[in-house]
Amino acid sequence: MREALRLARQGVGRTAPNPPVGAILVRDGQVIGGGYHPKAGAAHAEIFALRQAGELARGSDLYVTLEPCSHQGRTGPCAQALIEAGVKRVFVGVQDPNPQVAGRGISLLQHAGIEVEVGILDQECRRLIAPFARQILSGLPYTIYKTAMTLDGKTATASGDSRWISGEGSRLRVHRLRDRVEAIMIGIGTLLNDDPLLNTRLPDANGRDPLRVVVDSRLQIPLDCKLLHQQSNAGTLVATTEAADKQKIVALEKLGVEVLFLPETGGQVTLLPLWQQLGRRDVQRLLLEGGATLAGAALQAGLIDQLMVFVAPKLIGGSADHGIFAGAGCLELLNAVPINDMRFEQVGEDLLICGEVERCSQD
């Protein structure tokens, strides 16, 4: 199953609206086939494994990260293909979270006399398909809030200087993440302060740029900012309100920018309708990169799924109030948002802390 997971991760960020899946066929203790789902419309992981194994698949064991599908979509049902190939046993990481599908593939296999065991490395398999589960169950993208802070919890100095808090290894890690998400989002404050490109810059230059999303309730985005003037196949979406300057809208559209009008709450773009729009566009993984105001509003609305914090071995000191979230926050620790499934990793000189955010808004 670990090998199936390794294969599945090669498809992360490329399969939406489908989940990434990996499969391994084993016979007499030897791997005879393997594969992963590379993109929507392509063959599923099980089919690649069966093709590689050929006639050796008869009597073999399949290890697959997600329940084999049982329905006809853009490709045929994998469960039926496994039955026809004569697979003897199937070990499944997790059941499909889609209520319209869940359990049907397993039942089809069992009714054909195939032994099925579910729950092999289930935590790792659930983590792998968490973005797919989020979108299929709620219609919303799985949101990763990435930020960097010093050991004393600062994201910038008192003067606002924040380049660079994290080290070179951490920044490379972020570009690899950008390559594997469908969209990246910032607030207008971050754009005005940093003038970022929001593209993917990898050493081999083979990275994919995600859709760039800027939340800008009053359309303050400068027409000469960097992200509007770069060579990229990815689009730019600016989420604003009816208060936006109409002439500015025309100028942005001439630059190829899509301007999306959304309801406002307290003078700011209401975030839930924006997330819903992105979900309908098959954005399965959304990378939220800043700033603290937007992140605070997203946390308050229960829209952040994963926290990804790079902690640098530096101290800024002083009383500068530059934390990773802005806004009122909770008044009592009883109402603090819990973080589950914590993971820790050394990335260069920095410590990367990841965890799953319980999906509940603060009181």
mmCIF file of all heavy atoms in Angstrom, residues 216-220 239-249 259-269:
data_model
loop_
_atom_site.group_PDB
_atom_site.id
_atom_site.type_symbol
_atom_site.label_atom_id
_atom_site.label_comp_id
_atom_site.label_asym_id
_atom_site.label_seq_id
_atom_site.Cartn_x
_atom_site.Cartn_y
_atom_site.Cartn_z
ATOM 1 N N ASP A 216 -10.239 41.590 -3.719
ATOM 2 C CA ASP A 216 -10.031 43.044 -3.774
ATOM 3 C C ASP A 216 -11.395 43.734 -3.811
ATOM 4 O O ASP A 216 -11.934 44.018 -4.879
ATOM 5 C CB ASP A 216 -9.205 43.373 -5.023
ATOM 6 C CG ASP A 216 -8.868 44.846 -5.163
ATOM 7 O OD1 ASP A 216 -9.196 45.621 -4.251
ATOM 8 O OD2 ASP A 216 -8.275 45.201 -6.198
ATOM 9 N N SER A 217 -11.956 44.013 -2.668
ATOM 10 C CA SER A 217 -13.342 44.499 -2.584
ATOM 11 C C SER A 217 -13.553 45.862 -3.237
ATOM 12 O O SER A 217 -14.662 46.166 -3.685
ATOM 13 C CB SER A 217 -13.787 44.548 -1.122
ATOM 14 O OG SER A 217 -12.944 45.406 -0.374
ATOM 15 N N ARG A 218 -12.510 46.696 -3.305
ATOM 16 C CA ARG A 218 -12.656 48.038 -3.883
ATOM 17 C C ARG A 218 -11.851 48.216 -5.172
ATOM 18 O O ARG A 218 -11.693 49.322 -5.658
ATOM 19 C CB ARG A 218 -12.232 49.099 -2.847
ATOM 20 C CG ARG A 218 -13.142 49.177 -1.627
ATOM 21 C CD ARG A 218 -14.564 49.604 -2.006
ATOM 22 N NE ARG A 218 -15.469 49.645 -0.872
ATOM 23 C CZ ARG A 218 -16.245 48.649 -0.490
ATOM 24 N NH1 ARG A 218 -16.219 47.503 -1.163
ATOM 25 N NH2 ARG A 218 -17.060 48.777 0.538
ATOM 26 N N LEU A 219 -11.340 47.132 -5.696
ATOM 27 C CA LEU A 219 -10.583 47.125 -6.946
ATOM 28 C C LEU A 219 -9.413 48.122 -6.910
ATOM 29 O O LEU A 219 -9.281 49.005 -7.763
ATOM 30 C CB LEU A 219 -11.509 47.424 -8.136
ATOM 31 C CG LEU A 219 -11.269 46.567 -9.393
ATOM 32 C CD1 LEU A 219 -11.281 45.085 -9.062
ATOM 33 C CD2 LEU A 219 -12.297 46.868 -10.450
ATOM 34 N N GLN A 220 -8.553 47.901 -5.927
ATOM 35 C CA GLN A 220 -7.365 48.745 -5.782
ATOM 36 C C GLN A 220 -6.167 48.199 -6.557
ATOM 37 O O GLN A 220 -5.098 48.817 -6.558
ATOM 38 C CB GLN A 220 -6.984 48.850 -4.305
ATOM 39 C CG GLN A 220 -8.063 49.419 -3.410
ATOM 40 C CD GLN A 220 -7.653 49.371 -1.951
ATOM 41 O OE1 GLN A 220 -6.735 50.079 -1.529
ATOM 42 N NE2 GLN A 220 -8.314 48.523 -1.178
ATOM 43 N N ALA A 239 -11.691 39.006 -7.432
ATOM 44 C CA ALA A 239 -12.994 38.967 -6.774
ATOM 45 C C ALA A 239 -13.255 40.312 -6.119
ATOM 46 O O ALA A 239 -12.468 40.763 -5.277
ATOM 47 C CB ALA A 239 -13.020 37.858 -5.733
ATOM 48 N N THR A 240 -14.343 40.950 -6.504
ATOM 49 C CA THR A 240 -14.641 42.284 -6.001
ATOM 50 C C THR A 240 -16.133 42.411 -5.716
ATOM 51 O O THR A 240 -16.867 41.403 -5.718
ATOM 52 C CB THR A 240 -14.159 43.349 -7.007
ATOM 53 O OG1 THR A 240 -14.247 44.646 -6.410
ATOM 54 C CG2 THR A 240 -14.979 43.321 -8.289
ATOM 55 N N THR A 241 -16.585 43.638 -5.467
ATOM 56 C CA THR A 241 -17.991 43.896 -5.155
ATOM 57 C C THR A 241 -18.545 44.946 -6.122
ATOM 58 O O THR A 241 -17.821 45.495 -6.960
ATOM 59 C CB THR A 241 -18.138 44.407 -3.713
ATOM 60 O OG1 THR A 241 -17.524 45.711 -3.604
ATOM 61 C CG2 THR A 241 -17.466 43.451 -2.724
ATOM 62 N N GLU A 242 -19.805 45.236 -5.986
ATOM 63 C CA GLU A 242 -20.441 46.231 -6.855
ATOM 64 C C GLU A 242 -19.884 47.626 -6.636
ATOM 65 O O GLU A 242 -20.126 48.537 -7.440
ATOM 66 C CB GLU A 242 -21.957 46.230 -6.626
ATOM 67 C CG GLU A 242 -22.660 44.967 -7.079
ATOM 68 C CD GLU A 242 -22.604 44.759 -8.587
ATOM 69 O OE1 GLU A 242 -22.352 45.735 -9.312
ATOM 70 O OE2 GLU A 242 -22.821 43.617 -9.040
ATOM 71 N N ALA A 243 -19.126 47.825 -5.553
ATOM 72 C CA ALA A 243 -18.527 49.135 -5.287
ATOM 73 C C ALA A 243 -17.319 49.405 -6.162
ATOM 74 O O ALA A 243 -16.740 50.496 -6.129
ATOM 75 C CB ALA A 243 -18.131 49.235 -3.809
ATOM 76 N N ALA A 244 -16.920 48.443 -6.959
ATOM 77 C CA ALA A 244 -15.713 48.576 -7.786
ATOM 78 C C ALA A 244 -15.896 49.646 -8.857
ATOM 79 O O ALA A 244 -16.989 49.858 -9.383
ATOM 80 C CB ALA A 244 -15.397 47.234 -8.446
ATOM 81 N N ASP A 245 -14.787 50.313 -9.179
ATOM 82 C CA ASP A 245 -14.757 51.338 -10.215
ATOM 83 C C ASP A 245 -14.992 50.685 -11.583
ATOM 84 O O ASP A 245 -14.256 49.798 -11.998
ATOM 85 C CB ASP A 245 -13.392 52.039 -10.191
ATOM 86 C CG ASP A 245 -13.317 53.192 -11.178
ATOM 87 O OD1 ASP A 245 -13.461 52.948 -12.390
ATOM 88 O OD2 ASP A 245 -13.112 54.339 -10.740
ATOM 89 N N LYS A 246 -16.019 51.151 -12.292
ATOM 90 C CA LYS A 246 -16.396 50.521 -13.567
ATOM 91 C C LYS A 246 -15.335 50.724 -14.643
ATOM 92 O O LYS A 246 -15.114 49.843 -15.480
ATOM 93 C CB LYS A 246 -17.749 51.078 -14.032
ATOM 94 C CG LYS A 246 -18.898 50.847 -13.046
ATOM 95 C CD LYS A 246 -19.070 49.362 -12.741
ATOM 96 C CE LYS A 246 -20.245 49.095 -11.816
ATOM 97 N NZ LYS A 246 -19.959 49.454 -10.409
ATOM 98 N N GLN A 247 -14.667 51.865 -14.665
ATOM 99 C CA GLN A 247 -13.610 52.084 -15.650
ATOM 100 C C GLN A 247 -12.420 51.155 -15.392
ATOM 101 O O GLN A 247 -11.788 50.671 -16.320
ATOM 102 C CB GLN A 247 -13.160 53.546 -15.627
ATOM 103 C CG GLN A 247 -14.202 54.519 -16.170
ATOM 104 C CD GLN A 247 -13.684 55.936 -16.241
ATOM 105 O OE1 GLN A 247 -12.783 56.324 -15.482
ATOM 106 N NE2 GLN A 247 -14.238 56.733 -17.148
ATOM 107 N N LYS A 248 -12.155 50.890 -14.115
ATOM 108 C CA LYS A 248 -11.062 49.986 -13.749
ATOM 109 C C LYS A 248 -11.380 48.569 -14.229
ATOM 110 O O LYS A 248 -10.486 47.836 -14.664
ATOM 111 C CB LYS A 248 -10.894 50.006 -12.234
ATOM 112 C CG LYS A 248 -9.667 49.277 -11.695
ATOM 113 C CD LYS A 248 -8.403 50.060 -11.932
ATOM 114 C CE LYS A 248 -7.229 49.554 -11.130
ATOM 115 N NZ LYS A 248 -7.301 49.859 -9.696
ATOM 116 N N ILE A 249 -12.642 48.206 -14.160
ATOM 117 C CA ILE A 249 -13.071 46.882 -14.622
ATOM 118 C C ILE A 249 -12.751 46.716 -16.104
ATOM 119 O O ILE A 249 -12.192 45.698 -16.534
ATOM 120 C CB ILE A 249 -14.571 46.677 -14.368
ATOM 121 C CG1 ILE A 249 -14.863 46.644 -12.864
ATOM 122 C CG2 ILE A 249 -15.066 45.388 -15.028
ATOM 123 C CD1 ILE A 249 -16.319 46.753 -12.530
ATOM 124 N N VAL A 259 -13.082 39.566 -13.912
ATOM 125 C CA VAL A 259 -13.555 40.261 -12.716
ATOM 126 C C VAL A 259 -14.848 39.609 -12.265
ATOM 127 O O VAL A 259 -15.808 39.527 -13.033
ATOM 128 C CB VAL A 259 -13.769 41.767 -12.983
ATOM 129 C CG1 VAL A 259 -14.266 42.468 -11.715
ATOM 130 C CG2 VAL A 259 -12.473 42.415 -13.470
ATOM 131 N N LEU A 260 -14.858 39.153 -11.035
ATOM 132 C CA LEU A 260 -16.007 38.436 -10.491
ATOM 133 C C LEU A 260 -16.665 39.275 -9.403
ATOM 134 O O LEU A 260 -16.018 39.672 -8.429
ATOM 135 C CB LEU A 260 -15.548 37.099 -9.907
ATOM 136 C CG LEU A 260 -16.615 36.209 -9.264
ATOM 137 C CD1 LEU A 260 -17.630 35.751 -10.304
ATOM 138 C CD2 LEU A 260 -15.949 34.999 -8.600
ATOM 139 N N PHE A 261 -17.956 39.578 -9.587
ATOM 140 C CA PHE A 261 -18.681 40.377 -8.599
ATOM 141 C C PHE A 261 -19.339 39.458 -7.579
ATOM 142 O O PHE A 261 -20.025 38.502 -7.932
ATOM 143 C CB PHE A 261 -19.750 41.231 -9.297
ATOM 144 C CG PHE A 261 -19.180 42.265 -10.209
ATOM 145 C CD1 PHE A 261 -19.105 42.030 -11.581
ATOM 146 C CD2 PHE A 261 -18.695 43.460 -9.712
ATOM 147 C CE1 PHE A 261 -18.566 42.968 -12.436
ATOM 148 C CE2 PHE A 261 -18.161 44.421 -10.566
ATOM 149 C CZ PHE A 261 -18.090 44.174 -11.927
ATOM 150 N N LEU A 262 -19.139 39.779 -6.307
ATOM 151 C CA LEU A 262 -19.664 38.955 -5.225
ATOM 152 C C LEU A 262 -20.322 39.828 -4.176
ATOM 153 O O LEU A 262 -20.035 41.032 -4.080
ATOM 154 C CB LEU A 262 -18.530 38.141 -4.589
ATOM 155 C CG LEU A 262 -17.884 37.082 -5.495
ATOM 156 C CD1 LEU A 262 -16.592 36.579 -4.888
ATOM 157 C CD2 LEU A 262 -18.847 35.924 -5.729
ATOM 158 N N PRO A 263 -21.205 39.253 -3.356
ATOM 159 C CA PRO A 263 -21.809 40.030 -2.260
ATOM 160 C C PRO A 263 -20.730 40.491 -1.287
ATOM 161 O O PRO A 263 -19.639 39.926 -1.225
ATOM 162 C CB PRO A 263 -22.751 39.018 -1.594
ATOM 163 C CG PRO A 263 -22.913 37.915 -2.567
ATOM 164 C CD PRO A 263 -21.673 37.868 -3.384
ATOM 165 N N GLU A 264 -21.035 41.524 -0.539
ATOM 166 C CA GLU A 264 -20.085 41.997 0.452
ATOM 167 C C GLU A 264 -20.655 41.899 1.858
ATOM 168 O O GLU A 264 -21.867 41.946 2.066
ATOM 169 C CB GLU A 264 -19.644 43.429 0.167
ATOM 170 C CG GLU A 264 -20.738 44.485 0.270
ATOM 171 C CD GLU A 264 -20.158 45.883 0.059
ATOM 172 O OE1 GLU A 264 -19.948 46.271 -1.104
ATOM 173 O OE2 GLU A 264 -19.951 46.582 1.075
ATOM 174 N N THR A 265 -19.768 41.734 2.803
ATOM 175 C CA THR A 265 -20.116 41.698 4.224
ATOM 176 C C THR A 265 -19.178 42.638 4.954
ATOM 177 O O THR A 265 -17.956 42.428 4.924
ATOM 178 C CB THR A 265 -19.970 40.276 4.796
ATOM 179 O OG1 THR A 265 -20.796 39.374 4.055
ATOM 180 C CG2 THR A 265 -20.384 40.238 6.269
ATOM 181 N N GLY A 266 -19.727 43.671 5.550
ATOM 182 C CA GLY A 266 -18.885 44.632 6.259
ATOM 183 C C GLY A 266 -17.894 45.321 5.351
ATOM 184 O O GLY A 266 -16.776 45.648 5.774
ATOM 185 N N GLY A 267 -18.276 45.543 4.100
ATOM 186 C CA GLY A 267 -17.391 46.220 3.163
ATOM 187 C C GLY A 267 -16.361 45.322 2.516
ATOM 188 O O GLY A 267 -15.546 45.786 1.707
ATOM 189 N N GLN A 268 -16.375 44.025 2.824
ATOM 190 C CA GLN A 268 -15.411 43.086 2.263
ATOM 191 C C GLN A 268 -16.131 42.018 1.431
ATOM 192 O O GLN A 268 -17.308 41.753 1.637
ATOM 193 C CB GLN A 268 -14.618 42.407 3.387
ATOM 194 C CG GLN A 268 -13.876 43.364 4.302
ATOM 195 C CD GLN A 268 -12.812 44.160 3.567
ATOM 196 O OE1 GLN A 268 -12.130 43.644 2.681
ATOM 197 N NE2 GLN A 268 -12.654 45.433 3.935
ATOM 198 N N VAL A 269 -15.415 41.426 0.504
ATOM 199 C CA VAL A 269 -15.977 40.335 -0.290
ATOM 200 C C VAL A 269 -16.408 39.195 0.630
ATOM 201 O O VAL A 269 -15.653 38.776 1.504
ATOM 202 C CB VAL A 269 -14.933 39.807 -1.301
ATOM 203 C CG1 VAL A 269 -15.417 38.516 -1.958
ATOM 204 C CG2 VAL A 269 -14.626 40.862 -2.364
#
